[in-house]
Amino acid sequence: MALFYDGTLPGFFTALGRHHNRLIDGHSLIKSSTPKSGDLFFTTKVVPTDHSYSTRIVERLSQRMGRESLSTLGLAFLSEETDVEATLLAFIALALKQGPEALQNHADPTVHRVRTLARRTSRERHRLLGLLRFIRLGDGLYLARIAPKSHVVPLLARHFSRRLADQRWLIIDTERRVGVYGQQGDWELATHIELPDPLPLHPEEAGMAQLWCDFYHSIAIPERFNPKLRQQFMPQHSWRYLTEMMGEEKKS
Amino acid sequence: MDIHKKLELLSSAARYDAACASSGSQRMGPGVGAAHPSGICHSWSADGRCISLLKVLQSNHCRFDCAYCTNRASNNHPRASFTPEELADLTLAFYRRNYIEGLFLSSAVRDCADNTMERMLHTLRLLRRKHRFHGYIHLKVIPGASPELMQQAAALADRMSANIELPTRASLNALAPDKEEGAILRALQPVMPDRQLARRDGPLNPAGMSTQMLIGASPEPDLTVLQRAETLYRDQSLKRVYYSAYIPVNKDARLPAHRSSPPLEREHRLYQADWLLRFYRFEVSELLDPAMPDLDLTLDPKAAWALRHLEHFPLDVNQAAREELLRIPGIGLRSVQRILTSRRQQTLHAEDLHRLGVVMKRARYFLQDRGRYLGNVPLQEDHLRSALSGAKQARQLDLPFAAPTETSRMALTGEF
């Protein structure tokens, strides 16, 4: 039997709660959005998401596994790796048996896998805290576009709402078409966002972006030029919305 | 002069200062900005170095004539200054667009220490008080400035620094006779809170102080450089010492003749040694001595130490103490931590170690598992030396650049 859920974290926990035994036995948990490959499974069942039920499940898991295991789980989920569900279920089975200590055994292959996925999300998030660039639009809104591999938009909200407390700002994941909008220290998530093309820029924006590019080029010491080292920290796929590299990307 | 030209001049003048950390502060408040405790890298420049701050001089008008400096009085370069207003506005505009974590502000000395400091402090006051900016500020203090100005600086900046420039007083006197070592060391003294100046901006200088030495402009060996660093960490409680490979920007009889490339490999080894001092509980005397005063360029200092002390190896990670684990090449701080927590739950075998982040390609020569030595060559210096450095040499031949580079070189992210 295969269980289908909506692909969200509350959906995952709903399915886990309602079909615990089946899932621990090894039945598959699959995102509904996954393209169906023929009749691979004889029986299927769709699990509707129940938010309040999911919250109760999370609370019980937190008590049994510890908060750190739970947040590692959440981060790993957001990595959106294929078949992440199987990894998470294996880890949950382990952590339910061994408690919070389970997470500390880095040698265990299941723990290692979950931690690796969580680290992937976490690293991408931290990298974006730095690489994300805002553009000032005509109406004063600061807009940033990102195209991350993991679903990190919810993880960026708190940082930017603290940092830009007196600005109106919007971060958009251009592939997933989700975003987070903030002002006055508050923020909210948004879905199905469309951007106007071309973007209506604030009159001072072009000058400011040019100043940043000027600085970016002046600050490098020519005798130390090392594009290979730069590539290591800032691979080309991260240059897409990077103000200072937009000229470079066209060249290469 | 327009702002574009000023920015180009005053940032290229500031780029030889290696410090780039934006960590160590948790500043926040009403207004704009919040410092991130671990620091954030916003970009990497074409030389592979991390960009975290808007790094500029307030002015490059200088009355000093230091031999190695691009801003020296006898150089006929265009000179410019930012007004405090335009620099504060620029910093904020960049910050709001998430280009930077904050400002790194230094200055050449046009007239005297106090006036120069005053102008920089004016910029900082505009940022902190008028614009209510809580991002990161690194201020280079001017040696010789009055204690009152130092107090004010500590209340406004997260990090403060003053460069000792050269490893010994003798070299400083030879290459920068306008500078005085005593004044620099006094500027690096921790600033004590003044009861009159209530803590209106938060803790004083929360990210501590740092300094920088030029490498390769003067004849001192690595031993002297590292002993100086060790003293500065111990006696002045500095947070960081930076090592900056000398780049010849001037022709001067007092400076070494032009090399084909700057001593980047040597700078890299010094940073590795610096990390060993600060995090791995090494002492300088274990790494170097008068008979061997320079770091091995072909091997990192930790591996070089291990080869001189093979009597400690091979170790079993299940038995070894933390201090012993820290000495194994290929096992870093995080892996040591993981070994300690994981071995409480299961015995660790060779095939498990890569999951803990251990670099088995290096560590295997120093480890045993169930009594079996994990290296594939005898545990002897000459065999291990070629095993550990052989692979690196092959890679260097493939690189298209004239300067020796190493793709594992650290960027100065200021983490830790």
Side-chain angles (χ1 to χ4, degrees):
Chain A
M1 168 182 274
L3 292 163
F4 287 88
Y5 77 112
D6 68 359
T8 66
L9 209 40
F12 175 84
F13 287 121
T14 308
L16 177 68
R18 299 222 191 276
H19 300 277
H20 177 238
N21 292 329
R22 281 203 187 96
L23 290 173
I24 300 300
D25 275 345
H27 293 272
S28 307
L29 179 61
I30 306 172
K31 290 185 176 61
S32 298
S33 54
T34 315
K36 293 178 175 52
S37 43
D39 47 7
L40 212 53
F41 304 101
F42 296 117
T43 42
T44 64
K45 193 176 174 61
V46 175
V47 185
T49 304
D50 180 339
H51 282 88
S52 55
Y53 178 71
S54 156
T55 309
R56 293 204 300 277
I57 295 295
V58 166
E59 192 45 51
R60 278 168 59 189
L61 279 175
S62 173
Q63 284 167 15
R64 304 260 309 262
M65 302 185 347
R67 293 198 152 273
E68 204 189 335
S69 297
L70 203 53
S71 65
T72 306
L73 207 87
L75 283 173
F77 181 85
L78 292 174
S79 73
E80 298 201 338
E81 278 295 314
T82 28
D83 215 23
V84 64
E85 293 84 0
T87 305
L88 297 182
L89 291 169
F91 175 69
I92 290 170
L94 190 70
L96 286 175
K97 244 192 297 187
Q98 298 178 8
E101 271 299 295
L103 189 65
Q104 303 308 324
N105 184 2
H106 299 257
D108 181 293
T110 308
V111 173
H112 174 70
R113 181 84 186 127
V114 148
R115 277 189 173 268
T116 303
L117 294 181
R119 199 178 312 133
R120 199 168 291 176
T121 308
S122 183
R123 282 209 175 133
E124 186 162 38
R125 173 204 175 253
H126 189 82
R127 181 162 284 210
L128 278 172
L129 292 183
L131 292 178
L132 188 156
R133 299 275 177 268
F134 285 101
I135 297 172
R136 196 174 186 198
L137 299 184
D139 65 352
L141 177 75
Y142 284 84
L143 170 72
R145 290 165 297 177
I146 57 175
K149 296 203 175 104
S150 314
H151 183 38
V152 292
V153 154
L155 303 175
L156 300 172
R158 200 165 67 104
H159 172 89
F160 285 103
S161 81
R162 276 175 45 186
R163 186 186 164 98
L164 307 172
D166 70 348
Q167 276 165 242
R168 280 170 47 234
W169 53 274
L170 173 61
I171 298 172
I172 296 183
D173 179 333
T174 53
E175 299 294 308
R176 294 181 179 81
R177 308 258 270 272
V178 297
V180 55
Y181 170 72
Q183 59 172 345
Q184 309 296 341
D186 284 328
W187 55 270
E188 58 184 285
L189 296 173
T191 52
H192 302 107
I193 306 170
E194 295 288 342
L195 283 178
D197 181 24
L199 292 171
L201 301 181
H202 190 278
E204 71 172 36
E205 189 53 32
M208 205 47 71
Q210 185 57 53
L211 279 168
W212 173 242
C213 289
D214 293 344
F215 172 74
Y216 178 79
H217 288 109
S218 304
I219 204 67
I221 297 178
E223 291 86 345
R224 295 183 71 127
F225 268 2
N226 194 342
K228 209 163 187 180
L229 184 61
R230 178 177 63 177
Q231 177 74 11
Q232 228 183 292
F233 293 107
M234 200 162 83
Q236 283 212 351
H237 66 72
S238 63
W239 293 7
R240 190 165 160 190
Y241 296 116
L242 215 53
T243 314
E244 62 269 29
M245 301 311 284
M246 270 155 149
E248 305 276 321
E249 216 189 6
K250 290 187 191 105
K251 276 185 223 157
S252 51
Chain B
M1 194 187 283
D2 87 328
I3 188 106
H4 290 266
K5 188 71 191 153
K6 275 194 199 182
L7 181 59
E8 197 191 304
L9 265 178
L10 294 171
S11 54
S12 11
R15 68 191 178 196
Y16 300 95
D17 206 301
C20 66
S22 54
S23 55
S25 180
Q26 292 182 289
R27 191 182 287 274
M28 57 174 167
V32 59
H36 193 276
S38 73
I40 296 178
C41 286
H42 281 272
S43 191
W44 283 264
S45 46
D47 54 15
R49 301 188 301 162
C50 155
I51 300 175
S52 174
L53 304 169
L54 171 61
K55 185 181 289 182
V56 288
L57 302 188
Q58 182 86 50
S59 170
N60 68 345
H61 287 267
C62 202
R63 67 182 177 86
F64 297 154
D65 205 36
C66 308
Y68 47 81
C69 183
T70 185
N71 302 310
R72 68 178 179 178
S74 56
N75 280 355
N76 190 16
H77 292 166
R79 307 283 172 164
S81 306
F82 281 119
T83 68
E85 289 76 14
E86 50 186 6
L87 187 50
D89 289 345
L90 187 63
T91 306
L92 278 169
F94 278 10
Y95 188 84
R96 289 184 187 286
R97 289 164 176 76
N98 207 47
Y99 298 161
I100 53 174
E101 275 311 278
L103 177 66
F104 175 110
L105 185 57
S106 181
S107 187
V109 180
R110 186 174 199 165
D111 36 27
C112 69
D114 277 2
N115 285 356
T116 308
M117 276 286 278
E118 254 307 333
R119 277 190 287 275
M120 292 197 287
L121 290 179
H122 188 19
T123 306
L124 266 57
R125 269 183 230 113
L126 283 174
L127 281 168
R128 291 291 191 223
R129 308 230 170 107
K130 178 177 174 207
H131 296 289
R132 301 195 303 162
F133 172 70
H134 303 281
Y136 195 89
I137 297 180
H138 178 145
L139 178 71
K140 284 217 95 71
V141 299
I142 310 294
S146 72
E148 291 74 35
L149 291 180
M150 293 295 291
Q151 269 289 322
Q152 290 175 35
L156 297 166
D158 295 284
R159 171 160 288 178
M160 291 155 65
S161 63
N163 292 350
I164 60 164
E165 306 291 9
L166 292 152
T168 58
R169 179 182 301 180
S171 289
L172 184 70
N173 291 342
L175 298 180
D178 299 310
K179 298 196 172 180
E180 197 259 308
E181 193 194 63
I184 301 172
L185 292 176
R186 277 191 297 279
L188 288 172
Q189 289 297 327
V191 179
M192 289 299 131
D194 178 342
R195 251 161 278 144
Q196 308 290 66
L197 197 78
R199 285 154 58 114
R200 46 196 291 208
D201 296 296
L204 292 182
N205 187 23
M209 300 221 189
S210 63
T211 193
Q212 173 172 293
M213 278 190 265
L214 278 173
I215 301 303
S218 54
E220 295 90 346
D222 295 338
L223 175 62
T224 311
V225 171
L226 288 171
Q227 281 172 337
R228 193 73 207 269
E230 196 173 46
T231 310
L232 288 166
Y233 284 130
R234 196 186 53 227
D235 298 344
Q236 306 257 168
S237 324
L238 289 191
K239 274 286 184 342
R240 285 294 304 269
V241 174
Y242 289 92
Y243 311 93
S244 182
Y246 165 62
I247 311 273
V249 292
N250 303 325
K251 272 205 169 61
D252 193 304
R254 296 168 287 176
L255 292 167
H258 257 257
R259 286 168 47 116
S260 55
S261 57
L264 297 178
E265 198 65 50
R266 186 181 172 202
E267 184 200 270
H268 178 48
R269 296 298 180 209
L270 282 166
Y271 276 114
Q272 288 179 320
D274 182 283
W275 242 253
L276 293 181
L277 299 181
R278 289 189 295 128
F279 299 110
Y280 289 79
R281 310 187 195 177
F282 276 77
E283 292 182 5
V284 178
S285 53
E286 296 182 272
L287 299 173
L288 295 171
D289 61 46
M292 191 187 63
D294 284 306
L295 294 168
D296 195 325
L297 290 182
T298 60
L299 259 191
D300 72 85
K302 190 169 168 188
W305 179 88
L307 291 193
R308 294 195 300 274
H309 295 275
L310 290 175
E311 66 275 11
H312 292 293
F313 306 102
L315 288 170
D316 182 336
V317 297
N318 297 288
Q319 313 291 339
R322 167 192 276 268
E323 291 66 37
E324 295 178 289
L325 291 172
L326 283 172
R327 300 259 163 163
I328 305 172
I331 302 191
L333 286 172
R334 278 181 223 190
S335 295
V336 167
Q337 199 47 47
R338 290 172 187 160
I339 289 172
L340 293 173
T341 63
S342 304
R343 72 183 189 186
R344 289 202 293 256
Q345 300 192 44
Q346 70 170 74
T347 308
L348 300 171
H349 295 302
E351 57 273 18
D352 301 318
L353 294 179
H354 76 276
R355 288 188 215 109
L356 279 66
V358 171
V359 183
M360 285 308 285
K361 216 163 60 157
R362 298 171 70 73
R364 63 184 297 194
Y365 300 107
F366 304 93
L367 296 176
Q368 56 165 305
D369 177 18
R370 291 169 275 210
R372 187 174 62 94
Y373 173 56
L374 295 180
N376 58 357
V377 296
L379 186 62
Q380 285 159 29
E381 198 202 318
D382 41 357
H383 287 279
L384 295 193
R385 179 171 285 274
S386 58
L388 289 171
S389 56
K392 268 190 216 166
Q393 272 161 4
R395 246 198 285 161
Q396 274 186 340
L397 288 170
D398 290 337
L399 294 177
F401 312 110
T405 57
E406 199 183 280
T407 53
S408 63
R409 177 170 296 142
M410 287 181 273
L412 309 176
T413 60
E415 261 196 88
F416 287 121

